[in-house]
Structures are given as C-alpha cells and as structure tokens.
Amino acid sequence: MRLRVIVAERISEEGMSTLGASLDVTEAFDVDRDGLLSAIAGYDALVVRSLTNVDRELIERGKKLRVVGRAGVGVDNIDVSFATSRGVMIVNAPESNVVSAAEHTMAFMLALARNLPAADRELRAGTWPEAKPHGVELLGKTIGIVGLGRVGSAVAVRAAAFGMGVVAYDPYVSDERFRTFGAEKLDSLDELMRRSDYVSLHTPKTDETYGMIGEREMSLARDGVRIINCARGGILNENALVTALESGKVAAAGIDVFDSEPVADHPFFRFEQVLVTPHLGGSTEEAQARVGSTVAEQVIEALSGRLPRYALNVPLTDVETLSHVEPFMPLTEALGSAFTQLFGLPTAGVEIRYGGEIARYRTELPTLSFLKGLLKPIEGDEVNLVNGRFLAEEKGIEFTESRTTDAGSFTNLITVRGRDGFRGTLSATLMAPGSFRMTEIGGFEVDVVPKGTVLIAWFDGGAVDEPGIVGRVGTMLGEAGVNISRMEVGREVIRGRAIMVVSPSGDVPAGAVELLEEHPGVSEVRLVRLADLTT
Ligand code: MLT
C-alpha cells in the first residue's frame, strides 16, 4: 500500500505531481484546523506552508506521522522539539526562495525611496505632481542588514550593486562571510541602528529574535530611517513601530510579515508611508515551483528511510563528510542493536569509539544510528534517527563518543563499551560499503558477519576446548532444526572461558536456545536478531 501525505496548504503543481508519483496525496487546502486534527491520524506525512500551526496537539494526533514538510524556510509554525521527541522528521526548502525574498526586499527599498505607492495613488486620483522631488536615491545610503544568512547576504550583494554602503550584524556567522558578501561587520545591533538609513531584517523568528527591534532600538536610529521586514512578523515590535511612525522617527516601512497571520486589518494600514504585502516574499512563480518540488522530494526521501538534505532535526553534515560516514551507519546500528540484545540496555552509560580513518570525520550521524540500534530492541519502530538521542537521554543513558587514529590491524574499528560498571563490549569493522565484520564480542576475538540471526553461547572455562565439542553442539543444533551456515569459537586462553557463535541460514526454531543452555559447560546463550545489513 502506498504511503499517504496530506497537503494542508497549496504548493506548486510540480510539487504535487512529484508527491503523487510515489505517494497517495490528499489536498486539504480548505480544511480548517479541526478537520486537520481529525484527519491527521491517517497520514504518514504532512506538508504545510506558514499558516498551519503544527503544534504538539497536531503532532500527537498524527499517530503514523513520520515527516512534516515545510514548503519554505521558516519553521516557527512547527513545534520542532516536540516533533523530534516523537521521531517526526522536519524537512524544509531553505534555498528555494532566497532570491525572491531578497528581490522583494529590494522592491520595498526602491518603492519606499521613491514613494511609489503615494505616486500611484495620487495619479489615479487625478493629481499630476508639480516638479517637486518625489523621493530619495539609494546611492550612497547605508543599509543595515540584521542577519547575514542566505537572504541577508543576497540583499547585501544587491544593495551594493545600487551603490549603497552595507553594514551587517550577525553574531552567528564568520568574519569570512562578512568579507565574502562585502558587508562591514558590526558588533552590536545598537551600532547598526545608529549607522543605517535603511534597516532590513533577515533573521528567523526565535525566542532570541522576537521583539529584537523595539522602542529602545528605534530610538537609537537615525531620524527618518526606513525599516523593512520580509523575514518574520514579531521580530519587529509592531506597537513600537506604530509609535515611531507617529513621531516621524521612522519615515517609512515595508512590511511583508505580521506578528499574527493572516491579517485583515492592522494598525499599520492607516499609515500612507507603510507599504504592506501579505507575506509575498517567497511567492514568485520560480520560487514556488522550486519550493514545491524541493519539499516534495525531501518528504519522499524521508519516507524512504534515506537522509533528506534539508532535514532540520537530524544533524546533517556536508556532502563530503556524509559520503565517508554514511556507509558506517548500518554497522553502528547493528552494533547498537546487538549490544542491547547481548548485554541489555546500558542504563549506566555507554561509549562508542571510532578508530582509524573514520575518526577523521564528524561522527554524529553514525552515533545517532548506534543509538537507534541500541533502543530498537526495546522501542521497536518508535525509535528512529530523529528521536534516538532524545529517547536515550530520557532513559538516562549517558553516552560518549570518542575518536582515535588507532584501529589495531584494521583500517577502521568501531568499539562499543558499557560504562560505569555496565558490562559488555563489541567491536566491528567496515571492510567495504555494505560489508561488515564483528571482530570482538565481550572481549573474545571473533569474525562474524552481523546479518540475520546469530546464536551466541558462552562456555565456562575449558568446556569448549574438549575435543569434539564443535561437532557435538553442531549435531545437537542440527537435530533441533537449526541449519548452520557458519560456526566459530572465540576463546580467552587455552581452556579458559570461550564463546561460540553460530550463524544459521534460516531462523532458529523454538526450543533450540533452551537446548543449548542445557549443554554441559554452557553458561549463557543469546539469540541476536539483526536486520539484513550487508549487501
Ligand atoms: C518562507 O518561510 O519560506 C517564506 O516566508 C515564504 C513562506 O512562508 O511561504
């Protein structure tokens, strides 16, 4: 059966047809919140723009929900941390409407500089103006850009092309980025307010940025400053702007976004010098076509179990790093799952150590798949790459990650070890993509393909060294219906404790484990079921 997606706000035809090629699509453009709340339980994916509130209640009702696609960049309408705790991946399309949002900002800036709305209104009312100045030039003016991310930097480049001086404030980007986009770096928002003829906002809406341009900041601005907000409503305190417009401190404003949307009436509407648009920054034909197809592709990727490029609540790395670490992810997942099945959930804590060439890269992703594997025997399909870390923390499992260039005789070696008195260690190596070997179980050297079902038995000192033991256990398991494809013994010292690893070609019939447990010398038996991880 095909997976189902509900699209709550209109996206481009390109996006709808991409979704429709692999999923069952329901259009819910005119469905209200109550309708969405009652429908969501039947869907694997939800696609929204900025008007749908994807809050805790909606996510909780989405019992099957695996991914929310945000057709656009801002996710302030989505409770990302709750979605993460529920294992719901959030994907967006952050690059698709950058140019459109930057061009909308430029359109505001030009329109405000030349009083275009007033000119339009006057002419329609039959007034041909006398030869008086109608506006100011951008050339030589200073634009202060708050937030030098994708859109802010695109605005910087465009403003420079108009001969403007560009200053910017963004404590989260490198000096290099300021240089690349030709913006003078300012150390404070206050300084930006003092220096700018135009202030343009380009930050996401977060607890930190909400209300960041308020009464105090506006009081610092140059008299007659023009302010543009094509980012998110609320970053600019709306009441403070009304006061500053009334006093003339702010000469004009271009507002595309509002604290609460949609708006039918607003205090800004009474000011002729405020140009308003209904959140149109990303609404060009080109941007919407790109946004729709990108979000559709991301949703499909997420539902197919792959890592979408724009997953917001999975720590993605650059493509180069990903190409090196991704092949290790099935291996670390197998290690996690095998660890819990062999030794139990390491509630005291666990360490994952990356040795050899893998240690040169960032390993958050393989660690996430390790945590997913670790919890899978307990949580089943509830755990995934998105919520593995959250669920582990919730269970109080402290995990650490370490890296070393030392991988013994292997090119890479990943070792998992219980911490703080929790017993158990496991090691494995990746020989080639899709080809792994477990090299150590609980201190015993082995050479096991972590695939399908593996039967592991610990023998007390000496027992496994008796001549004929392998044959006897093999015959006994054969009689119990176990079709053995591989069997090996790992031992600490001659006649010391030993481990026997049996890889059956099919499943292990009921009763075989108990039979083996009763075999003389056997102290413990575990059946480890692993998904088929090798190619
Ligand atoms: C965005 O977040 O992508 C833009 O504000 C446009 C939109 O919300 O659709």
Side-chain angles (χ1 to χ4, degrees):
M1 213 181 71
R2 301 217 307 171
L3 297 174
R4 302 180 73 207
V5 58
I6 183 162
V7 185
E9 289 173 75
R10 204 173 289 279
I11 63 165
S12 65
E13 299 215 333
E14 290 87 340
M16 290 303 277
S17 57
T18 305
L19 287 174
S22 5
L23 306 171
D24 246 13
V25 185
T26 302
E27 287 182 10
F29 308 149
D30 300 319
V31 173
D32 64 10
R33 175 157 172 97
D34 285 344
L36 194 57
L37 280 172
S38 34
I40 194 72
Y43 292 90
D44 307 277
L46 163 69
V47 173
V48 300
R49 291 186 59 183
S50 57
L51 290 181
T52 310
N53 194 9
V54 187
D55 56 8
R56 193 182 172 112
E57 187 184 13
L58 188 62
I59 297 165
E60 255 171 354
R61 297 244 194 143
K63 296 281 177 238
K64 288 167 56 188
L65 202 59
R66 284 165 54 196
V67 55
V68 176
R70 163 69 167 94
V73 56
V75 286
D76 41 289
N77 54 323
I78 301 175
D79 189 337
V80 179
S81 54
F82 186 68
T84 305
S85 73
R86 288 298 164 110
V88 177
M89 192 180 284
I90 310 295
V91 295
N92 68 350
E95 295 182 45
S96 309
N97 54 24
V98 168
V99 169
S100 295
E103 289 184 357
H104 201 65
T105 305
M106 296 308 293
F108 266 142
M109 204 145 54
L110 289 163
L112 294 182
R114 304 306 299 272
N115 296 329
L116 293 190
D120 179 81
R121 258 191 322 269
E122 283 162 22
L123 185 52
R124 284 167 198 271
T127 311
W128 191 268
E130 294 157 28
K132 61 171 179 133
H134 209 281
V136 291
E137 288 182 346
L138 292 183
L139 180 72
K141 304 292 186 309
T142 298
I143 179 171
I145 297 177
V146 184
L148 200 59
R150 292 186 177 95
V151 180
S153 53
V155 169
V157 170
R158 283 157 181 76
F162 276 85
M164 300 184 82
V166 181
V167 298
Y169 170 67
D170 190 331
Y172 299 110
V173 303
S174 65
D175 290 359
E176 176 63 25
R177 190 169 176 90
F178 283 87
R179 281 195 290 277
T180 304
F181 293 103
E184 182 188 339
K185 178 181 172 168
L186 300 184
D187 291 329
S188 72
L189 185 56
D190 289 3
E191 197 184 347
L192 181 138
M193 295 307 291
R194 286 193 196 98
R195 297 255 317 257
S196 309
D197 301 299
Y198 290 79
V199 172
S200 192
L201 308 183
H202 300 287
T203 69
K205 180 170 164 179
T206 62
D207 288 346
E208 190 191 351
T209 62
Y210 189 76
M212 78 189 289
I213 310 285
E215 209 174 304
R216 195 189 71 83
E217 288 70 23
M218 283 186 224
S219 73
L220 299 174
R222 291 184 172 180
D223 290 343
V225 66
R226 290 169 167 83
I227 298 186
I228 296 159
N229 188 5
C230 283
R232 277 292 177 275
I235 297 173
L236 178 80
N237 182 302
E238 294 184 343
N239 293 331
L241 181 58
V242 167
T243 311
L245 284 161
E246 279 166 347
S247 71
K249 180 78 180 174
V250 172
I255 303 291
D256 185 45
V257 286
F258 298 83
D259 205 351
S260 160
E261 295 179 4
V263 288
D265 194 11
H266 195 279
F268 291 163
F269 293 0
R270 70 185 157 90
F271 295 96
E272 290 217 330
Q273 66 274 40
V274 179
L275 182 51
V276 286
T277 51
H279 203 143
L280 291 184
S283 291
T284 58
E285 284 173 21
E286 295 89 343
Q288 284 314 304
R290 284 193 294 263
V291 161
S293 349
T294 305
V295 81
E297 286 157 12
Q298 299 290 295
V299 164
I300 291 165
E301 287 273 291
L303 288 178
S304 347
R306 291 189 291 270
L307 274 180
R309 178 156 179 223
Y310 302 123
L312 277 169
N313 47 359
V314 179
L316 291 184
T317 51
D318 56 284
V319 177
E320 151 85 0
T321 304
L322 194 60
S323 69
H324 289 283
V325 300
E326 206 172 13
F328 285 88
M329 293 175 69
L331 169 62
T332 51
E333 184 175 338
L335 273 175
S337 173
F339 191 94
T340 299
Q341 293 181 65
L342 281 170
F343 307 112
L345 199 63
T347 40
V350 66
E351 178 195 356
I352 179 160
R353 196 174 66 169
Y354 295 92
E357 60 188 24
I358 173 77
R360 300 212 313 263
Y361 303 97
R362 295 181 56 172
T363 44
E364 290 105 321
L365 277 173
T367 298
L368 278 187
S369 52
F370 163 67
L371 292 174
K372 174 183 166 199
L374 198 72
L375 292 164
K376 196 130 187 171
I378 314 287
E379 301 282 342
D381 289 338
E382 291 298 303
V383 61
N384 59 24
L385 285 183
V386 176
N387 63 359
R389 180 177 291 262
F390 171 86
L391 292 177
E393 282 168 359
E394 204 182 49
K395 292 190 182 325
I397 301 173
E398 290 197 7
F399 54 91
T400 47
E401 195 185 299
S402 63
R403 292 185 239 176
T404 162
T405 47
D406 179 17
S409 54
F410 302 98
T411 50
N412 60 74
L413 188 69
I414 303 185
T415 300
V416 177
R417 196 183 300 279
R419 273 182 32 195
D420 302 330
F422 193 91
R423 70 175 190 135
T425 67
L426 275 182
S427 303
T429 185
L430 178 75
M431 293 154 65
S435 173
F436 322 121
R437 287 290 180 277
M438 206 89 98
T439 59
E440 175 259 338
I441 299 176
F444 296 97
E445 256 180 45
V446 294
D447 181 18
V448 175
V449 180
K451 184 177 178 180
T453 303
V454 184
L455 195 57
I456 297 173
W458 278 267
F459 285 75
D460 292 330
V464 94
D465 267 350
E466 285 167 23
I469 184 91
V470 171
R472 279 204 300 282
V473 171
T475 307
M476 190 199 79
L477 288 174
E479 280 165 5
V482 179
N483 192 3
I484 299 172
S485 70
R486 238 177 114 105
M487 188 167 178
E488 69 168 286
V489 176
R491 148 179 94 194
E492 272 175 340
V493 287
I494 303 274
R495 304 195 76 78
R497 250 171 69 86
I499 197 173
M500 184 178 280
V501 184
V502 179
S503 307
S505 55
D507 207 358
V508 174
V513 171
E514 290 72 15
L515 209 61
L516 191 53
E517 271 169 351
E518 279 159 23
H519 193 280
V522 170
S523 59
E524 203 175 341
V525 181
R526 288 275 184 274
L527 195 59
V528 176
R529 288 180 209 280
L530 297 163
D532 194 346
L533 297 159
T534 47
T535 48

